[in-house]
Amino acid sequence: MRKIVITTPDDWHLHVRDHAQMQAVINDTARQFARAIIMPNLVPPVTSCAQALSYRDRILSALQPGSSFNPLMTLYLTDNLSIQEIETAAQSPFIHAAKLYPAGATTNSDAGVSHIDKIIPLLEAMQTHDLPLLVHGEATAADIDIFDREKAFIDSTLSTIRQQFPELRIVFEHITTEDAVEYVLSQNAYVAATITAHHLLINRNDLFKGGINPHHYCLPVAKREHHRLALLAAATQQPGRFFAGTDSAPHPRHAKESACGCAGIYTAHAAVELYAEAFEQVDNFIHFESFMSLAGAAFYRLPVNDGTVTLKKQDWTVADKINFADATLIPFRAGKTISWTLEHN
Ligand code: DOR
Ligand code: ZN
C-alpha cells in the first residue's frame, strides 16, 4: 500500500469558535496538527492580548487529555486598536500575528478595519516589532464583482501596504486566484500565502452543481478552474512561499442551509487527507512535506515539529454530520469517500 510519511504538520489558518462549539471541533484539528494559527473573529472579536490569552486557556482546557496541541493566537485589528496592544502581542510567546479583516469582508468582520489609512500607525508598530500581518485579501466596495475582490485587494490595498512597510511579514490568507499566486511570487520572502484544501479541490461550479450547494460556500468564494489549477501548481511546485492553512470554519447546519447562508467550509475532520488528495491529482508529493510541515514554521520563525504522521492510500467514509454544541455541522465531503487515511506514529 502506498504510504507517505511527513513531519507532523501545522494548520496556519483555523477557526475554532468558542465554548461548547469549540469543544466540538478542536480535537479534530489536534488529532492531525501539532499547532494552528487561531483566527480571532469571535463575537466579540479578540482585540486585546488579555482576550487572546484567555481564549488560549479555553482552547487548552478543551483538548483531550494528553494532547500536546499548541494553539498560536492572533489579534483582530480594528480602527481603534492601541499600539500598546501590538507591542504587548509582539512580546508574548503565545501571540503570533494580527489579522486584518476589511470591515464587511466575511463572517464576523463588521468590527474590522474600515480603511487601511486608519491603521497605518499599527502597521508601523507591527513592522518595528516584527509581528506578522495576516490579511483577508478581499476588497469590499459593493460595486466590485465578488469574483474580482481578491485581485482588487492586491491592487488597491496589498501593494500599498507592501510599499509603505517593506519589512512587514505578511501572510496573504486563503488565496483563491492565479493573480494572488503571481503576486506572491513577484514579491520577496516577506510575503507568503496560505492555501486551503477546499480551494485546491473545488471550483465555482461546485457551488451550483445540480442546485445551490451551501456547504461549498466560503469566502473568498471558489473561483474558475484555471485559478484552482494555479493554486495547485503553487502548492505542489513552489516550496517555501505557500503553506497549508485550512480556513476550516464550522457553522451550524441551519445557518448554512438558510435563505441567507453564511460562509465557511469545515475541513478539520480530514484536512491532511484532503490536501493529500489534492497533491495526488498532479501526482507530485515532492514538496508535500514543505507545504504541510516546514514552510509555515520557517515563515513564522518557529521550530519544526517533532514526530511524523503517515498517510496511507486507503478509503474511508466521512460522517454525514458532526455534533456541534446544540446543533449539527455538515463536514466537507459528508457521506462521501476520501482516499487517504492518516495514521499516527
Ligand atoms: O468562509 C469563511 N469563513 N471565510 C472567512 O474568511 C471566515 C470564515 C468564518 O469565520 O466562518
Ligand atoms: Zn478564515
Side-chain angles (χ1 to χ4, degrees):
M1 182 187 298
R2 188 165 183 198
K3 286 195 172 190
I4 295 167
V5 181
I6 57 167
T7 299
T8 308
D10 299 303
D11 182 349
W12 298 103
H13 184 128
L14 178 67
H15 300 267
V16 292
R17 315 304 183 207
D18 207 351
H19 307 299
Q21 291 189 333
M22 184 255 288
Q23 298 222 338
V25 296
I26 188 67
N27 289 294
D28 276 354
T29 292
R31 265 194 304 280
Q32 305 215 354
F33 296 99
R35 300 174 289 205
I37 285 278
I38 306 292
M39 287 295 132
N41 63 333
L42 301 182
V43 187
V46 179
T47 52
S48 73
C49 296
Q51 283 173 299
L53 297 183
S54 74
Y55 185 26
R56 179 174 180 273
D57 288 343
R58 293 195 297 282
I59 294 172
L60 293 176
S61 319
L63 294 171
Q64 261 154 24
S67 172
S68 56
F69 178 74
N70 184 4
L72 310 173
M73 309 312 292
T74 61
L75 279 188
Y76 183 114
L77 292 174
T78 69
D79 291 356
N80 307 313
L81 197 78
S82 74
I83 287 179
Q84 176 64 47
E85 287 295 341
I86 296 293
E87 289 170 357
T88 310
Q91 278 154 24
S92 166
F94 304 119
I95 303 175
H96 294 268
K99 176 83 188 268
L100 163 57
Y101 285 103
T106 187
T107 308
N108 303 338
S109 65
D110 292 349
V113 173
S114 65
H115 191 278
I116 201 70
D117 291 350
K118 302 270 188 189
I119 59 161
I120 296 298
L122 297 177
L123 297 176
E124 181 90 57
M126 288 172 68
Q127 176 173 262
T128 304
H129 298 286
D130 202 15
L131 184 70
L133 172 70
L134 315 183
V135 295
H136 182 107
E138 288 194 283
T140 52
D143 59 340
I144 304 175
D145 189 283
I146 189 166
F147 294 102
D148 297 335
R149 289 179 176 212
E150 191 167 273
K151 167 91 169 81
F153 181 84
I154 297 170
D155 298 341
S156 68
T157 308
L158 190 51
S159 42
T160 313
I161 299 176
R162 282 287 297 147
Q163 269 159 24
Q164 286 197 50
F165 305 103
E167 293 184 358
L168 175 61
R169 277 183 288 156
I170 300 175
V171 183
F172 194 171
E173 299 287 348
H174 44 51
I175 59 168
T176 58
T177 58
E178 192 169 22
D179 310 278
V181 169
E182 282 169 8
Y183 180 77
V184 171
L185 291 175
S186 76
Q187 301 296 299
N188 62 22
Y190 283 95
V191 181
T194 51
I195 306 180
T196 74
H198 49 276
H199 288 116
L200 292 173
L201 292 167
I202 64 173
N203 66 28
R204 67 189 202 175
N205 280 352
D206 291 288
L207 279 152
F208 304 109
K209 257 180 206 159
I212 285 197
N213 290 283
H215 298 289
H216 284 160
Y217 175 55
C218 64
L219 286 169
V221 70
K223 306 295 192 299
R224 288 178 180 275
E225 177 66 359
H226 76 88
H227 291 297
R228 187 185 75 85
L229 294 176
L231 300 177
L232 201 48
T236 56
Q237 293 169 31
Q238 299 286 348
R241 306 289 291 288
F242 301 93
F243 39 83
T246 63
D247 199 17
S248 178
H251 289 275
R253 178 180 193 162
H254 59 80
K256 296 280 300 168
E257 297 176 9
S258 108
C260 187
C262 55
I265 297 180
Y266 186 72
T267 52
H269 61 298
V272 180
E273 291 105 328
L274 291 166
Y275 280 115
E277 278 202 354
F279 274 63
E280 191 182 26
Q281 284 186 6
V282 288
D283 196 17
N284 182 355
F285 283 89
I286 294 170
H287 301 303
F288 187 61
E289 184 176 44
S290 168
F291 183 79
M292 297 303 303
S293 317
L294 308 179
F299 186 85
Y300 276 91
R301 303 191 184 145
L302 291 168
V304 166
N305 296 315
D306 294 331
T308 58
V309 297
T310 302
L311 280 152
K312 54 183 181 185
K313 180 76 183 152
Q314 187 177 73
D315 285 358
W316 62 285
T317 305
V318 176
D320 290 335
K321 55 183 195 277
I322 292 174
N323 290 332
F324 189 48
D326 53 0
T328 54
L329 156 65
I330 307 298
F332 189 69
R333 290 274 179 83
K336 302 218 170 76
T337 304
I338 293 182
S339 64
W340 289 90
T341 301
L342 190 69
E343 267 178 7
H344 297 270
N345 301 336

